[in-house]
Amino acid sequence: MIVRPSLLLLLAVVLAAPRVAAEPGVTDTEIVVGGSNSFSGPLAYTGEQITKFGIDLYFKVVNDAGGIHGRKVRAVYYDDGYRPQDAVANTKKLVEQDNVFAIIIPQGSPPVVATLEYLEQQKVPMLFPYQSSPVTRGRRYVFQGMTLSDRSSRMMIDYLAGTRKFKKFAALYQDDEYGKSFLAAFEKDLGRYGLKLTATESVKRGVADVSAQIAKLHAARPEVTFLVLVPGPAAHALRERQKIGWTDTLMVSTGPLTDEKYLALATDAANGVEGLSLWPDPMTSDLKGVQLYRAYMLKYFPKNEPNRYSLAGYFAGMLFTEAAMRAGRNLTRDSLVTALESIKGFETGILPPLTIGPDHETQKQGFWVRVEKGRFTPLTDWLKSE
Amino acid sequence: MRAAALAGGAVVVLGWPWAVPRYFVFLASLIAINAIVAIGLNLLTGYTNQLSFGHAGFLAIGAYAAALLTIQAPLVPLPLTLLAAGLVTAAVGLALGVPCLRLEGLYLAMATLAFGFVVVEAILNLDWLTRGNDGLRVPAARLGPWPLATDTSRYYLVVTVAALLIVAARNITSSRTGRALLALRESEIAAQASGVNLAAYKTLAFVVSAFYTGVAGGLFALVVGFLSPDSFDVFLSVDFVAMIIVGGLGSILGSVMGAAVITTLNDSLAGFQSYRPLIFGAILVASMLFMPGGIASALHRAQPRQGDRA
């Protein structure tokens, strides 16, 4: 039994070998960033696309073009399976062991919220978290990725109550922060038009059957019914509506539902559903940046179909690269923050010209789409939330 | 020999935060927490042959109990908070243990599996208390005058509690109670015939196991700092079972080693992403095939003892 302690001590000595670097994650030849993401669990597909086929895709392009001021850029990922404790462990490991320069595009509210305080304390940038809860606001080292829920709400109501002149709104929402934050934002934005939600029904997370709620909402006869749900129950809601022949309402979906893959769950019941799309169509858009994205995907990962998750990761890689380029050869965490804050009218070819202000939000827009035969047909140009 | 090993172990545990990079202090805290759960589970499974796939549920109850107590009553001293977390969980263990007396083997495994899901659903539905799906941020606790703000301070708290619980487990298993539990595992009929009260001891094992896991849950809340129902999925329960299988059923030292191996493995496989379950599964199968008694019995066999027959 005397063996074990001495082995552990040896291990301790090996592990304690010092590392020397001026700024963590930045050497003469390399920049290392990292992220905890879902490679297993409910969001595994999304996580893999964002990271390995998104961020890495853009980094391959950058590295083949000579890197960032002569440095190659590389990303390290760990799997948290959507579990907050694993996200905490992974993030600590990335910061303390792998010495990453920044955390890039972590996914999902629970894992992101669990690591927010720690990263802010350590002054490590958290770049473009892929979640929509406004909890990420007001932090020096956090730059929000996805359009936040209150901005989405403003665009949706301005379009539906303002442009389309709808008067009677109802909502079916998931009974948690995601659902409630949308509900509160809807009420507030409808208030500006002298309107309010005429009926609301809630769904607990994990509940698949929403037929009772659909029947009640049907009875209230709204012109517009918001679905603030996750894919499973949302698809059920759409099929249920089809079953009872409820046709005189416009179904509008939020957040994760504006995605072809998930709408496919509802099959033809999804036809006619409208919503806010945060990204141009990755498969068909003829925007310069999206065409380029497809060309690179074909070159580096020919077997992987373009999709909005890898596009989001690709975009995050692009934004990081732009900021690191602006920060210059003397790259530090603080100079990166300053560089990101200085981005004005940056042409990505994917989203409208990008300006990041003191609010640290990188996406503030979306455009209106309608589902037709399993694809999104755009109905508007980019809508604004300011 | 034994004393030297113990002293050596103590030096390593106490000196650990000063010898290794910061991340390994955090990792060691997780190992110690998992070790407490593994000991608790081993008292149930290794000693009375009752298999549980619901220990993530007990961990959740302890974690939420401690977190809510810290938030609602910040003046309650930390040791009491942890004790309360253990007692609340033990009460739930009692409530689960009594009806489970009628179940054996696979049926018990299914019942405990269901229990794990019920706990997660309960956390989701008690959202006025637990903040449901949104998760609960656990404020930094204080131990008397010291704020437990660093990984190192929390590490010392965790290993102290773990040490106390290891000593307690040793006392339980080497007492009359422990021998009664072991007798139950070998043959329930024979044990009953020798005067062991089957129902009482089986329930006791459930309660003690839940208490251990509840205390571990309280420490988990402190160390991780954020709880959500997603933290306590069924795979966590499976990890706990894996710990005692790899470490060795019916062995306290084995529980600790199993916890260390599985936790370290999980941590080092985090980078393998989608291959993680595959690699993890292969290691488990291999250890069952080639090391059926776990690390503890493998060590036992490798170590010649004085007085052993040739």
Side-chain angles (χ1 to χ4, degrees):
Chain A
M1 265 330 291
I2 204 79
V3 183
R4 196 167 68 105
S6 55
L7 264 180
L8 284 176
L9 272 179
L10 183 70
L11 180 73
V13 172
V14 172
L15 295 174
R19 288 161 193 265
V20 200
E23 185 73 6
V26 181
T27 65
D28 272 351
T29 53
E30 200 180 42
I31 302 168
V32 184
V33 294
S36 178
N37 219 305
S38 287
F39 296 97
S40 60
L43 297 178
Y45 171 78
T46 323
E48 184 162 54
Q49 289 298 324
I50 288 175
T51 53
K52 288 191 218 161
F53 298 97
I55 302 170
D56 286 1
L57 176 61
Y58 195 81
F59 284 176
K60 273 180 197 288
V61 174
V62 170
N63 288 341
D64 284 357
I68 301 172
H69 294 295
R71 295 184 178 110
K72 302 275 180 201
V73 53
R74 178 169 65 89
V76 187
Y77 310 113
Y78 295 125
D79 177 22
D80 60 43
Y82 204 59
R83 283 191 298 245
Q85 73 268 36
D86 288 4
V88 170
N90 290 343
T91 305
K92 278 179 187 264
K93 184 149 113 174
L94 286 164
V95 171
E96 294 165 17
Q97 277 309 110
D98 299 307
N99 282 305
V100 297
F101 175 66
I103 297 293
I104 192 160
I105 198 164
Q107 185 188 202
S109 289
V112 166
V113 175
T115 55
L116 267 178
E117 290 293 331
Y118 168 76
L119 289 174
E120 192 75 2
Q121 268 171 19
Q122 303 293 318
K123 304 187 171 170
V124 179
M126 179 196 268
L127 304 178
F128 328 127
Y130 200 70
Q131 61 90 39
S132 65
S133 156
V135 290
T136 53
R137 275 214 180 100
R139 290 170 191 271
R140 172 163 165 78
Y141 291 94
V142 180
F143 287 81
Q144 172 62 26
M146 194 187 274
T147 308
L148 293 174
S149 54
D150 49 358
R151 289 190 184 276
S152 289
S153 157
R154 194 176 315 168
M155 289 184 273
M156 296 170 91
I157 300 296
D158 281 351
Y159 175 68
L160 290 168
T163 314
R164 299 266 290 262
K165 308 279 183 229
F166 285 113
K167 297 261 177 300
K168 219 173 158 193
F169 294 84
L172 180 60
Y173 66 99
Q174 178 159 294
D175 195 5
D176 63 5
E177 177 69 29
Y178 158 53
K180 285 180 200 153
S181 69
F182 260 108
L183 208 63
F186 284 152
E187 292 280 14
K188 183 165 159 262
D189 292 319
L190 282 171
R192 286 188 290 118
Y193 292 90
L195 300 169
K196 59 189 182 59
L197 288 167
T198 48
T200 59
E201 288 293 324
S202 67
V203 181
K204 289 274 183 207
R205 192 187 84 153
V207 172
D209 186 355
V210 294
S211 45
Q213 288 94 329
I214 286 291
K216 280 189 201 153
L217 290 175
H218 184 203
R221 301 258 160 224
E223 292 173 302
V224 174
T225 308
F226 290 112
L227 296 180
V228 192
L229 298 172
V230 292
H236 185 264
L238 292 174
R239 282 199 299 270
E240 190 62 29
R241 163 185 84 140
Q242 196 182 35
K243 206 167 87 188
I244 63 171
W246 179 17
T247 50
D248 56 349
T249 191
L250 174 67
M251 286 278 177
V252 173
S253 84
T254 60
L257 201 65
T258 30
D259 161 334
E260 296 89 344
K261 209 175 174 70
Y262 287 149
L263 281 173
L265 275 176
T267 60
D268 62 330
N271 268 337
V273 173
E274 299 189 3
L276 198 64
S277 180
L278 305 181
W279 298 99
D281 193 318
M283 300 282 275
T284 60
S285 167
D286 52 9
L287 287 167
K288 275 254 161 44
V290 184
Q291 284 184 356
L292 210 55
Y293 153 79
R294 281 200 297 269
Y296 288 137
M297 186 65 90
L298 199 64
K299 179 177 173 198
Y300 290 102
F301 302 109
K303 284 189 196 143
N304 195 59
E305 280 209 350
N307 59 73
R308 58 195 64 227
Y309 305 116
S310 77
L311 183 61
Y314 175 89
F315 188 82
M318 180 189 278
L319 212 50
F320 172 77
T321 306
E322 173 67 16
M325 283 286 191
R326 283 170 186 240
R329 177 80 189 159
N330 185 18
L331 180 65
T332 64
R333 285 168 174 163
D334 283 290
S335 74
L336 183 85
V337 169
T338 311
L340 276 165
E341 284 172 340
S342 79
I343 288 180
K344 276 192 187 64
F346 172 47
E347 288 287 352
T348 60
I350 297 173
L351 296 182
L354 186 95
T355 298
I356 308 176
D359 58 14
H360 287 197
E361 288 172 53
T362 60
Q363 277 171 266
K364 299 173 189 173
Q365 69 286 307
F367 59 94
W368 205 257
V369 293
R370 177 190 294 146
V371 181
E372 281 164 5
K373 294 185 186 124
R375 292 217 73 81
F376 291 115
T377 309
L379 297 187
T380 67
D381 199 358
W382 289 102
L383 302 170
K384 294 269 181 291
S385 63
E386 286 170 290
Chain B
M1 177 77 181
R2 234 180 92 85
L6 263 179
V11 168
V12 170
V13 168
L14 291 177
W16 186 254
W18 312 102
V20 299
R22 204 154 47 115
Y23 176 68
F24 289 88
V25 180
F26 172 77
L27 190 64
S29 303
L30 284 187
I31 290 176
I33 291 169
N34 286 337
I36 299 173
V37 180
I39 293 169
L41 182 60
N42 223 333
L43 287 173
L44 185 68
T45 306
Y47 281 84
T48 63
N49 220 3
Q50 304 184 85
L51 190 57
S52 164
F53 280 102
H55 267 54
F58 288 129
L59 190 77
I61 293 169
Y64 272 94
L68 291 171
L69 199 57
T70 313
I71 293 168
Q72 310 284 352
L75 292 179
V76 174
L78 188 57
L80 282 185
T81 304
L82 291 174
L83 189 66
L87 290 175
V88 168
T89 315
V92 176
L94 180 66
L96 180 69
V98 171
C100 280
L101 281 174
R102 297 175 170 277
L103 302 175
E104 275 181 4
L106 216 53
Y107 298 100
L108 179 65
M110 279 160 64
T112 51
L113 189 70
F115 167 75
F117 285 108
V118 168
V119 170
V120 168
E121 284 303 310
I123 295 170
L124 283 171
N125 283 283
L126 293 172
D127 51 2
W128 53 272
L129 184 68
T130 61
R131 291 186 32 84
N133 203 11
D134 309 331
L136 192 64
R137 195 182 304 217
V138 188
R142 302 178 67 85
L143 186 61
W146 305 287
L148 297 172
T150 61
D151 282 333
T152 306
S153 59
R154 288 188 287 255
Y155 166 83
Y156 281 119
L157 171 76
V158 172
V159 294
T160 309
V161 175
L164 287 174
L165 289 175
I166 288 172
V167 172
R170 284 204 85 91
N171 284 337
I172 295 172
T173 53
S174 56
S175 69
R176 192 185 159 80
T177 310
R179 286 191 298 277
L181 293 175
L182 271 179
L184 277 180
R185 180 182 71 177
E186 298 306 324
S187 163
E188 291 191 359
I189 296 168
Q192 274 180 300
S194 344
V196 174
N197 183 338
L198 183 75
Y201 278 105
K202 273 189 144 179
T203 312
L204 180 71
F206 243 105
V207 171
V208 174
S209 184
F211 177 82
Y212 269 69
T213 313
V215 174
L219 295 169
F220 177 94
L222 282 181
V223 167
V224 175
F226 184 83
L227 304 175
S228 115
D230 298 301
S231 307
F232 307 100
D233 60 6
V234 61
F235 299 105
L236 189 63
S237 291
V238 175
D239 279 355
F240 292 144
V241 174
M243 284 172 200
I244 60 170
I245 289 174
V246 169
L249 290 171
S251 159
I252 290 168
L253 183 64
S255 307
V256 177
M257 286 191 203
V261 168
I262 298 289
T263 311
T264 316
L265 205 60
N266 256 333
D267 179 72
S268 45
L269 289 183
F272 287 88
Q273 297 148 10
S274 33
Y275 299 106
R276 176 174 163 174
L278 187 72
I279 302 172
F280 196 79
I283 291 171
L284 252 186
V285 171
S287 90
M288 280 188 195
L289 280 177
F290 303 113
M291 211 168 50
I295 301 170
S297 87
L299 277 182
H300 198 75
R301 265 178 287 150
Q303 188 180 13
R305 282 175 180 252
Q306 284 185 333
D308 269 5
R309 272 170 288 176

